[in-house]
């Protein structure tokens, strides 16, 4: 389980925490041009978050254009018809706000968090770049170099990163749409043209391929009027054809590969298993299993491998890891565990130890006391995360984009907390078996000589 998002202790007045669920105000509707809008009013503090999410990510890329979704995220900050380069950032920051964007396998998102009296500013900025982004050779050249530098600093020169970003997907998936690198290659970036960028913009950055979420100190009637003013006349486009993410039929044999990492000081292992359908009963069961196995100080991996055997130094695990979470999980996705381990143990030993912990879940139902601890932790983390307007906006956007129903924010927790020990046991038996396991072993290696990776 990934570390929970740090939030304030006080519960926000916008929702009521009850025994199991949360209640978030949700007002969802659609403009005639197809833009889906979700408003969630919370007048506790004079702050508002504007969150724009587009239904396109790295899994929508074409061969020869890997990294294109990420490149385009950078292009969105290069200026638009009425907001020249640098104005978007300057206007947000000069009004005491923050902003950013990010690229994922299945979506790209952008947000501004501002004083609520500057809501119109954020809406104008987002609508102007949706309407008419500044796409030209100079901007494209600048952002190609920016993306390359980002890759060098954040991935190529960081331990474990290249193995996880470039190698892991090729093991976990057989369909190219899912198996290619999220960041992409320098060769593909160099090949991107202004015509490519313009086509991508027209295809994916249209109102009917987006969701606009506004959370915080807003007045619904006035906010709807502003949204209509800024976005209502932006023309829709034909909805893009979705990539076929289906994995090839037939069960592939267990996969294992070793990656020699010149930057790593200690070894690591990634273990993954193909996961279930989003929001299926088994999805909820595996989500709860993850909390039991890896969540918090009392979790089984923490107690048995970190503190007990002292074989594992640190770990992360989640449905969708490493590029997604249980929130934005879109099948096909794995349940994966990443473990940095004590060099006194081999990668095979770590895999065996983790599989033994999984076998305990397969062979006997989770003790009621352990399950209640996990549910309490899950409930508390969920309520804390939803206090922040950015996290609440992101959650609403994901439910609207992936499921077509933002109101799931108020019921999804109930489905997770209803999971039984028998369901956890059944899911562990069905999904987390050695026959379905994929393993990437990352080992420290000298910087010079030898191949970067080798298969086993």
């Amino acid at each position: 389980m990934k570390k929970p998002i740090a939030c304030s202790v006080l519960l926000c007045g916008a929702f009521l925490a009850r025994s199991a669920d949360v209640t978030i105000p949700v007002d969802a509707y659609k403009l005639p041009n197809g833009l889906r809008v979700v408003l969630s009013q919370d007048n506790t503090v004079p702050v508002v978050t504007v969150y724009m999410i587009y239904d396109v990510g790295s899994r929508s890329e074409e061969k020869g254009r890997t990294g294109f979704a990420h490149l385009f995220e950078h292009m969105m900050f290069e200026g638009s018809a009425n907001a020249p380069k640098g104005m978007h950032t300057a206007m947000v920051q000069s009004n005491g706000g923050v902003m950013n964007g990010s690229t994922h396998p299945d979506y790209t998102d952008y947000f501004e968090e501002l004083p609520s009296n500057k809501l119109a500013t954020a809406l104008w900025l987002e609508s102007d770049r949706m309407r008419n982004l500044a796409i030209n050779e100079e901007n494209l050249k600048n952002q190609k170099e920016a993306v390359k530098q980002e890759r060098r600093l954040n991935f190529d020169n960081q331990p474990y990163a290249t193995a996880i970003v470039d190698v892991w997907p090729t093991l976990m998936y057989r369909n190219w749409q899912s198996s290619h690198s999220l960041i992409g290659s320098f060769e593909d970036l160099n090949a991107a043209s202004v015509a490519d960028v313009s086509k991508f913009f027209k295809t994916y950055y249209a109102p009917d391929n987006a969701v606009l979420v506004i959370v915080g100190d807003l007045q619904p009637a006035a906010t709807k009027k502003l949204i209509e003013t800024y976005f209502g006349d932006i023309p829709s486009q034909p909805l893009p054809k979705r990539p076929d993410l289906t994995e090839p039929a037939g069960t592939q044999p267990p996969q294992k590969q070793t990656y020699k990492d010149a930057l790593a000081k200690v070894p690591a292992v990634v273990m993954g298993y193909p996961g279930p359908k989003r929001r299926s009963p088994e999805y909820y069961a595996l989500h709860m299993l993850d909390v039991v196995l890896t969540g918090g100080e009392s979790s089984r991996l923490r107690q048995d491998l970190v503190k007990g055997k002292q074989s594992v130094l640190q770990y992360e695990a989640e449905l969708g890891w490493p590029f997604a979470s249980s929130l934005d999980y879109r099948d096909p996705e794995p349940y994966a565990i990443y473990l940095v381990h004590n060099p006194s143990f081999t990668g095979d030993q770590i895999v065996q130890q983790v599989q033994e912990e999984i076998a305990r879940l397969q062979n006997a139902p989770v003790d009621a006391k352990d399950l209640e601890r996990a549910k309490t932790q899950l409930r508390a983390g969920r309520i804390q995360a939803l206090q922040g307007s950015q996290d609440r906006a992101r959650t609403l956007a994901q439910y609207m984009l992936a499921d077509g129903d933002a109101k799931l924010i108020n019921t999804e927790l109930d489905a997770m907390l209803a999971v039984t020990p028998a369901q956890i046991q059944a899911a562990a038996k069905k999904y987390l078996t050695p026959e379905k396991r994929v393993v990437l072993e990352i080992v420290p290696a000298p910087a010079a000589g030898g191949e970067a990776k080798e298969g086993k």
Side-chain angles (χ1 to χ4, degrees), residues 50-52 54 76 88 100 110-112 121-131 212 231 234:
V50 172
Y51 185 94
M52 181 68 77
Y54 291 91
M76 284 287 278
H88 193 127
N100 213 333
Y110 307 88
F111 74 86
E112 295 86 14
T121 299
L123 293 177
W124 176 74
L125 289 168
E126 284 295 351
S127 66
D128 201 59
R129 61 182 176 182
M130 177 189 281
R131 186 187 305 274
L212 171 65
F231 291 92
I234 301 177

Side-chain angles (χ1 to χ4, degrees), residues 11 42 71 102 111 113 194 265 273 275 281 304 338 420:
L11 291 180
D42 173 9
L71 171 65
S102 59
F111 74 86
E113 185 174 359
V194 170
K265 301 300 182 184
Y273 308 81
D304 297 342
Y338 166 63
T420 67

Side-chain angles (χ1 to χ4, degrees), residues 3 17 27 71 83 119 137 139 167 169 189 217 258 289-290 387 415 448:
K3 293 182 179 179
D27 182 2
L71 171 65
L119 172 60
E137 192 66 52
N139 287 348
V167 180
L189 283 173
D217 183 30
T258 299
L289 178 152
D290 176 54
Q387 291 176 66

